Amino acid sequence: MQQATAKPVTYGASDRPPRGDYSLARADYTCEQPWEDYTADEHDRYARLFARQMAHVQDRACDEFVVALSHLGDAQGIPRFADINIVLRQATGWELVAVPGLIPEREFFTLLANRRFPVTYWLRSEAEFDYIVEPDLFHDLFGHVPLLFNPVFADYMQAFGSGGLKAESLHALEFLSRLYWYTVEFGLMHTSRGLRVYGAGILSSVGELDYCLTSPEPNRVAFDALRLMRTRYKIDTYQETYFVIEGFGELFDATAPDFTPLYTALRDLPELGAGDVLADEKTYPPNRV
Ligand code: PHE
Ligand code: CO
């Protein structure tokens, strides 16, 4: 049954109307993926985006991401989410659901807590081939979905959903959205072969994949939940600071404890700017090129 209760959600101060059709969405903001409506141009654009990025993530993305990319299908065109779900459910119990675009925080966290990942159903235009401000199908699918096949990361994402609902009730969403930003979207991992990327915002971008790993400019700070949640972020430039984990086990364990005392402490601590580095903290050098 369709209910016309889903209201469009826009990003930041954007004055452009949202592109997805929110009248298709149910009350939980999910909808059917309108697969039959994709044009030949859109299938072709997806295939070209995929091929370019597939080549670019080799030796830059973490191994867990690269091995899982094959599960996204043959990439000749936009996949049906239902086909990916057959393998994804079996791997980690997650499933993809289509959404018209950004959705409110509570609905977003509720989906994650139930191991359902929202994927925007529409694809960027040709003019946005290199850069798009809002998340589209390519960012959501290519950037986020491969790691849902990794058991530890899959559990982290579910914990994030429950943690988000809790943070909302504690009025601490601002702190938790920083954690989302600096891990799920822009996280780096230190491996035996140097730094690698696991954040979806980097993995679906061309320029930042090189910048974050090799530029001398940004800070690369060892992951620490309290330090991270004090730190503001920028949404319209390359990041000034990346937080580095040693593996998904560390990320999961460090975020497992109850954040309630952390949120209390954070209210009394000064915020840090996106580019600040503290005197005594561990940082990582860029990869050598
Ligand atoms: N442990 C966090 C809490 O108690 C929940 C959480 C887990 C948040 C993992 C983010 C990631 O609020
Ligand atoms: Co994203």
Side-chain angles (χ1 to χ4, degrees):
M1 191 179 63
Q2 306 257 314
Q3 295 171 308
T5 49
K7 291 203 184 62
V9 178
T10 48
Y11 209 42
S14 169
D15 47 9
R16 281 183 297 121
R19 278 181 259 185
D21 182 355
Y22 282 79
S23 74
L24 299 174
R26 310 170 183 103
D28 68 357
Y29 280 85
T30 67
C31 60
E32 294 302 314
Q33 181 190 18
W35 194 85
E36 308 291 343
D37 297 345
Y38 295 129
T39 64
D41 275 355
E42 287 172 322
H43 283 295
D44 177 68
R45 189 176 310 139
Y46 178 87
R48 285 181 288 117
L49 282 163
F50 193 99
R52 176 179 70 170
Q53 208 63 8
M54 177 76 156
H56 209 58
V57 296
Q58 308 296 325
D59 299 321
R60 295 185 178 93
C62 64
D63 291 343
E64 294 90 334
F65 179 86
V66 177
V67 299
L69 265 180
S70 60
H71 298 308
L72 297 190
D74 64 11
Q76 297 302 299
I78 300 172
R80 294 179 192 263
F81 300 163
D83 287 341
I84 296 175
N85 282 344
I86 296 169
V87 257
L88 182 56
R89 275 195 207 99
Q90 217 161 40
T92 57
W94 274 79
E95 66 175 6
L96 311 183
V97 287
V99 288
L102 292 167
I103 68 174
E105 274 149 349
R106 181 178 308 182
E107 282 76 5
F108 177 69
F109 290 130
T110 302
L111 289 175
L112 295 189
N114 291 291
R115 288 175 106 85
R116 304 176 82 206
F117 191 80
V119 177
T120 303
Y121 73 70
W122 54 266
L123 186 66
R124 67 189 64 186
S125 69
E126 196 63 34
E128 294 161 316
F129 197 81
D130 290 332
Y131 182 77
I132 180 163
V133 193
E134 317 146 72
D136 73 327
L137 184 147
F138 184 72
H139 163 79
D140 286 341
L141 198 61
F142 186 95
H144 287 281
V145 175
L147 286 180
L148 295 176
F149 283 87
N150 177 271
V152 182
F153 194 82
D155 286 352
Y156 175 68
M157 290 297 281
Q158 177 179 19
F160 219 114
S162 330
L165 296 171
K166 182 165 110 190
E168 187 184 35
S169 71
L170 296 171
H171 304 287
L173 268 185
E174 204 186 324
F175 301 131
L176 202 66
S177 34
R178 292 176 183 164
L179 183 62
Y180 194 86
W181 188 263
Y182 282 121
T183 63
V184 178
E185 295 290 355
F186 291 95
L188 298 187
M189 183 190 290
H190 178 243
T191 76
S192 57
R193 285 172 295 136
L195 298 172
R196 291 287 188 273
V197 178
Y198 73 92
I202 309 175
L203 290 165
S204 63
S205 136
V206 181
E208 197 158 359
L209 262 169
D210 277 320
Y211 177 83
C212 74
L213 295 174
T214 61
S215 166
E217 275 176 50
N219 312 310
R220 299 171 182 86
V221 177
F223 178 85
D224 176 89
L226 182 70
R227 155 60 162 108
L228 184 159
M229 285 196 270
R230 290 175 64 188
T231 313
R232 288 193 295 263
Y233 59 85
K234 305 232 166 116
I235 63 165
D236 52 2
T237 60
Y238 290 164
Q239 299 304 302
E240 293 177 29
T241 296
Y242 300 95
F243 288 91
V244 182
I245 60 171
E246 290 286 334
F248 291 137
E250 180 203 2
L251 179 63
F252 186 83
D253 292 347
T255 52
D258 181 5
F259 280 0
T260 310
L262 228 60
Y263 295 148
T264 308
L266 281 161
R267 287 184 221 285
D268 293 327
L269 284 166
E271 290 189 332
L272 299 172
D276 292 355
V277 184
L278 303 177
D280 52 349
E281 67 189 350
K282 176 174 178 186
T283 60
Y284 292 80
N287 288 347
R288 281 189 292 164
V289 275

